[in-house]
Amino acid sequence: MEPVSLQDFVCALDPASLPRVLRVCSGVYFQGSVYEISGNECSLSTGDLIKVTCVRLQKVVCENPGTGQTMELAPNFQGNFSPLTGPRSYATLEELVSAATQSSKQLPICFMSTHRITTKARVVPQEQPLKLEAVEMHLGTCCACCVLGTGAQQVLLHLPLSQKGPFWELQPGPPRTLLQVLQDPALKDTILTCPTLPWRSLTLMPQYEVEAIMHLRRTIVKIPSTLEVDVEDITASSQHIHFMQPLLLSEALARGGPFPLPTEILEVPEGPPIFLSPWLSSLQKGQRLCIYGLASPPWRFLASTKGRKVPRHFMISGAYQGKLRRRPREFPTAYDLLGALQPGQPLRVVATKDCEGDGFENPGFMSLAMGDRLEVLGSGQALGVQERDMDVLVCQRLSDQPGEGEEYEEAEDQEQILLPLHLSGGFVEELGDGRRYSLQDLIAQFSLPCEVKVVAKDASHPADPLPSFLGLRLEEKIMEPFLVVSLDSNPEMCFEVPPRWLDLTVVEAEGQPSQPAGPLPVVPVEELTEAFYYHLRKSPAFEGQAPPPRPPKSKGLSGQKKQVSKAKGVKSSEAFQLQKSSLLPKPKRKTFPKVTKDSCNLYSEIPGHKKGLRLTKPITQDTGDEHDYEEILEQFPKTL
């Protein structure tokens, strides 16, 4: 085949003959972009091979041959076209018959008038095709015997040869649609007419979009047919040519197979590593892989180690077969206790710090001592500072030991205490659950985050690192598809790759993949790099799982200054003294011993904590607090 322009090749192409392989004989370079503009290829080099797989009609440019004006028609244009025999029109029917006789044309001939024709029989609309079958005498006048319409609706008319036009000669045949005209090679470059368009004569220039495959191009290339390149059809001699089409792992996942799929790595995405795994260093250009399909189950769990200065982070597969035991959770504030409370699941904790009721800045709150046992009941409201309602945590004080008598326990049921949500006392969960859970059972029964200890490793993973840690914190559940992949050189080394975060560029390789005997030995635990772990926690996928907002801060120095400055009848020196005293901790008069000269028995006179002690009326501020406070501070040097 001789080289032709791409436009001529596409216009003459039979879609049923696709695909076709073309060689670019005369390339083109568009200065604006080396690759593409608006998604279309605009630069092709001489010698490039393209495999045309599809041709789509984009639009049709309609041109008036007399004036050069153009307009665009959509591919779904509904008008009908009739081909003209030439660009000339005839003023009368006599001129039309004379021209046909001189050109040795045989009757019948088809024609139309650009004006309406009125006869005694009927009115002929403008641009209505007519067929002139003969010239004969009718009622003493030389007339053209014409047929209007087709089939059973034909009407015979006798038009005098002196009938004025103008008239246009048409090629025989019924009117055609836009697609019929474009698919008929005989009508290429033919002058047409269309009653719904403003011009009596016109030509059509279709513009197509060519979809093709090019060597080492990952996506389908889209080329406009108007690109000024010459091509040669080499389909007959290209049976040995194989177009290597790169493929992303995400694309292999989206198309769903066929699996197993042998591939070869063309490119590894740049960036820091996401896993601390030995197989990650094997993912290099030229490495052959085998993709076995989608990993099951599709969920993973983020976990971090406990009890280490530098925590380590892991991603655990939902298929992990190790055994886990629950560990007590730690709660730094009362707000965290409220967030951990689940319906139908009792939450009992032990206080790890002393907290005095008169240090809460709100009257009516109870004191806590280290070792106090509490059962969290829920949230409530209490009257706080300036007689405003504030959210509190309602708890029930329990006995010192879990096994005390029922009568005492019933009495304790009536003792409820209120804790402000911003209380940073420190609590640890009281846990009596010694069961061994599988990962699926644990997640089904308890909400995340969850503190666990791996007590038995996964038997399918001899190098399971999780049992070596004192504890793990299961933090998030991730719903993300992974692909099961193995190295072609070592089929027994199977691992799971997340295309979203490690989207390798591969190409399909020849040959049959090797299938390991039995189930695939997939590693269920992958250690994450610290950078990727925090990147993962900040990703949009975890926006719905963000931690709750921090509780409101307690009233600080600035709030106390405002209260003191607004108090009526307080002198400036007294206000300054109040501000100064707020910088120091308030005295714990219930726990301080009576100061004596003998400092060796200082701790012997500290009274023990008495349970059941409740405040029956709110604590009110008086001027004596500061006086007692100063006396105690004065006695400190004597006891040291």
Side-chain angles (χ1 to χ4, degrees):
M1 176 182 176
E2 295 294 329
V4 296
S5 67
L6 181 61
Q7 175 71 16
D8 292 342
F9 173 82
V10 175
C11 289
L13 179 65
D14 180 10
S17 65
L18 294 177
R20 310 294 295 180
V21 179
L22 307 179
R23 177 189 289 117
V24 178
C25 299
S26 176
V28 62
Y29 170 71
F30 185 79
Q31 188 174 0
S33 172
V34 177
Y35 299 105
E36 59 183 32
I37 291 180
S38 301
N40 292 330
E41 192 76 16
C42 59
S43 297
L44 293 175
S45 302
T46 302
D48 280 350
L49 297 179
I50 57 177
K51 185 177 183 179
V52 180
T53 58
C54 182
V55 174
R56 302 181 188 276
L57 179 63
Q58 295 294 103
K59 61 183 178 180
V60 178
V61 178
C62 179
E63 182 180 359
N64 186 337
T67 62
Q69 292 178 304
T70 61
M71 63 186 304
E72 293 184 359
L73 303 179
N76 58 352
F77 179 72
Q78 299 300 319
N80 292 324
F81 296 86
S82 297
L84 303 176
T85 57
R88 178 188 172 185
S89 63
Y90 303 93
T92 63
L93 276 179
E94 186 176 3
E95 291 183 13
L96 175 61
V97 173
S98 176
T101 303
Q102 292 177 2
S103 60
S104 302
K105 289 185 178 179
Q106 301 293 327
L107 297 180
I109 62 174
C110 296
F111 70 98
M112 72 171 187
S113 173
T114 59
H115 292 82
R116 185 175 59 178
I117 301 175
T118 304
T119 66
K120 293 181 179 180
R122 64 176 300 161
V123 175
V124 180
Q126 64 179 7
E127 300 183 356
Q128 180 69 39
L130 295 168
K131 183 186 294 184
L132 195 157
E133 293 187 337
V135 177
E136 58 186 17
M137 296 298 293
H138 180 70
L139 300 177
T141 304
C142 187
C143 296
C145 183
C146 302
V147 176
L148 174 64
T150 58
Q153 303 296 327
Q154 290 183 354
V155 177
L156 182 63
L157 300 175
H158 289 86
L159 302 178
L161 293 182
S162 60
Q163 179 71 45
K164 293 183 179 181
F167 299 100
W168 294 80
E169 184 181 359
L170 304 176
Q171 292 185 9
R176 299 169 173 85
T177 64
L178 178 61
L179 294 181
Q180 288 174 340
V181 171
L182 297 179
Q183 293 172 359
D184 191 348
L187 297 181
K188 182 182 178 182
D189 299 330
T190 300
I191 299 177
L192 307 169
T193 184
C194 180
T196 58
L197 294 178
W199 306 322
R200 304 307 172 200
S201 61
L202 51 92
T203 57
L204 300 179
M205 295 177 292
Q207 294 185 9
Y208 297 90
E209 181 183 73
V210 179
E211 294 187 0
I213 298 174
M214 296 186 67
H215 188 60
L216 291 181
R217 295 293 293 270
R218 185 175 59 82
T219 58
I220 297 294
V221 178
K222 298 180 179 180
I223 307 172
S225 63
T226 55
L227 195 65
E228 297 180 357
V229 293
D230 293 337
V231 296
E232 178 185 6
D233 191 345
I234 60 170
T235 305
S237 60
S238 62
Q239 303 301 323
H240 64 285
I241 298 177
H242 176 66
F243 288 84
M244 297 180 62
Q245 187 176 7
L247 181 72
L248 292 174
L249 289 187
S250 56
E251 295 172 343
L253 177 65
R255 74 182 190 182
F259 298 116
L261 178 66
T263 60
E264 180 178 331
I265 297 178
L266 292 182
E267 185 179 359
V268 180
E270 297 181 355
I274 63 174
F275 295 139
L276 298 176
S277 304
W279 54 263
L280 196 64
S281 60
S282 302
L283 301 183
Q284 299 179 0
K285 182 178 179 180
Q287 175 67 53
R288 294 175 67 94
L289 305 174
C290 182
I291 304 175
Y292 293 101
L294 188 65
S296 180
W299 56 82
R300 305 291 183 277
F301 297 94
L302 280 184
S304 298
T305 59
K306 301 287 291 184
R308 298 176 62 93
K309 293 183 178 180
V310 180
R312 295 167 64 179
H313 311 286
F314 296 89
M315 183 177 290
I316 305 175
S317 170
Y320 182 74
Q321 298 299 318
K323 295 299 181 180
L324 305 93
R325 184 175 291 152
R326 295 176 61 202
R327 292 182 72 253
R329 292 173 289 179
E330 297 179 2
F331 307 98
T333 66
Y335 189 89
D336 297 300
L337 284 176
L338 181 60
L341 184 63
Q342 297 294 328
Q345 297 182 6
L347 178 60
R348 295 187 176 186
V349 296
V350 178
T352 58
K353 294 181 181 179
D354 290 337
C355 297
E356 291 295 330
D358 56 357
F360 293 155
E361 303 175 2
N362 299 93
F365 291 124
M366 293 297 299
S367 301
L368 292 178
M370 183 174 62
D372 279 357
R373 298 176 60 243
L374 305 175
E375 181 173 351
V376 182
L377 301 180
S379 61
Q381 285 191 336
L383 192 65
V385 179
Q386 299 179 355
E387 298 184 353
R388 294 180 180 177
D389 290 339
M390 65 178 298
D391 295 330
V392 297
L393 184 68
V394 182
C395 300
Q396 173 181 305
R397 195 192 298 271
L398 303 177
S399 60
D400 287 338
Q401 297 297 329
E404 294 191 5
E406 296 180 358
E407 297 181 359
Y408 185 78
E409 195 69 39
E410 291 177 359
E412 292 272 326
D413 289 344
Q414 305 300 322
E415 183 184 1
Q416 294 183 355
I417 62 175
L418 306 180
L419 300 177
L421 293 184
H422 58 270
L423 171 65
S424 57
F427 305 89
V428 63
E429 183 178 15
E430 184 179 271
L431 194 62
D433 186 3
R435 292 178 54 192
R436 291 154 53 105
Y437 295 88
S438 66
L439 182 59
Q440 294 185 0
D441 292 341
L442 183 72
I443 300 302
Q445 298 182 35
F446 305 99
S447 61
L448 297 179
C450 184
E451 306 283 345
V452 298
K453 172 72 171 74
V454 179
V455 295
K457 68 179 181 179
D458 189 336
S460 65
H461 184 31
D464 185 0
L466 300 184
S468 61
F469 301 112
L470 295 178
L472 287 177
R473 178 181 173 86
L474 300 179
E475 298 170 337
E476 304 284 358
K477 183 178 181 179
I478 305 174
M479 296 295 296
E480 185 68 29
F482 281 62
L483 288 175
V484 179
V485 180
S486 72
L487 302 178
D488 185 70
S489 57
N490 186 8
E492 299 299 327
M493 179 184 289
C494 292
F495 46 89
E496 297 177 345
V497 177
R500 179 181 174 186
W501 302 303
L502 189 58
D503 207 2
L504 302 173
T505 302
V506 300
V507 64
E508 294 188 34
E510 298 180 355
Q512 293 294 328
S514 56
Q515 183 77 23
L520 297 175
V522 180
V523 177
V525 180
E526 297 289 355
E527 184 172 1
L528 308 179
T529 62
E530 186 175 7
F532 177 66
Y533 168 78
Y534 288 110
H535 170 76
L536 192 61
R537 295 301 300 270
K538 293 188 297 183
S539 63
F542 297 97
E543 288 182 355
Q545 302 174 354
R550 299 304 301 169
K553 295 182 180 179
S554 61
K555 184 180 66 176
L557 178 61
S558 59
Q560 293 187 9
K561 285 182 179 180
K562 291 180 181 179
Q563 273 193 334
V564 173
S565 61
K566 291 182 180 180
K568 294 182 179 181
V570 181
K571 296 181 181 181
S572 59
S573 60
E574 294 175 351
F576 175 76
Q577 190 68 20
L578 286 172
Q579 297 173 10
K580 180 178 179 182
S581 63
S582 64
L583 295 173
L584 298 175
K586 290 187 176 182
K588 302 180 180 180
R589 281 179 283 172
K590 296 180 181 180
T591 58
F592 270 110
K594 182 178 179 181
V595 180
T596 60
K597 293 183 179 180
D598 189 4
S599 59
C600 62
N601 297 324
L602 176 63
Y603 297 99
S604 62
E605 300 181 16
I606 299 179
H609 179 74
K610 297 181 180 180
K611 302 191 67 62
L613 181 62
R614 293 178 57 90
L615 296 177
T616 58
K617 62 180 180 178
I619 301 174
T620 58
Q621 293 182 356
D622 56 9
T623 57
D625 287 345
E626 294 186 10
H627 181 70
D628 295 341
Y629 185 85
E630 296 298 334
E631 289 182 353
I632 293 175
L633 292 179
E634 290 176 358
Q635 295 177 3
F636 267 117
K638 298 179 182 180
T639 61
L640 298 178

